[in-house]
Amino acid sequence: GVTLALKNGRILAWGAGNSSGLRGPGATTNQPFPRAVPSAVAGFSALSASHFHALAIGPGNVVYAWGSGLRGALGDGVDGSSRVEPGLVTP
């Protein structure tokens, strides 16, 4: 699976595969070293991840999500969508 961590407000990812897109766009092979997950947003303060999707708190306590949107997990109102970069969860 993919491992996620926060360092200095950036999201890092490493591990096996990338079927849910948690490691960002274009990541298809195993990644043994932490790499930044591409994001237009910086300054994340908290992170929660499952096997298929992840959530992060960004500046202003705004929630971002990426990975698999199966069963609406990304909070974008769409069942089955997916995202390879953290995107705003819309209330």
Side-chain angles (χ1 to χ4, degrees), residues 35-76:
R35 300 272 189 242
V37 173
S39 176
V41 178
F44 290 100
S45 60
L47 177 66
S48 176
S50 75
H51 188 70
F52 300 105
H53 73 282
L55 302 169
I57 304 293
N61 289 324
V62 177
V63 179
Y64 291 81
W66 72 104
S68 170
L70 188 64
R71 297 183 190 97
L74 298 181
D76 58 5

Side-chain angles (χ1 to χ4, degrees), residues 12-43:
L12 303 176
W14 65 98
N18 193 33
S19 62
S20 297
L22 291 173
R23 287 184 26 226
T28 56
T29 60
N30 295 344
Q31 175 58 45
F33 302 103
R35 300 272 189 242
V37 173
S39 176
V41 178

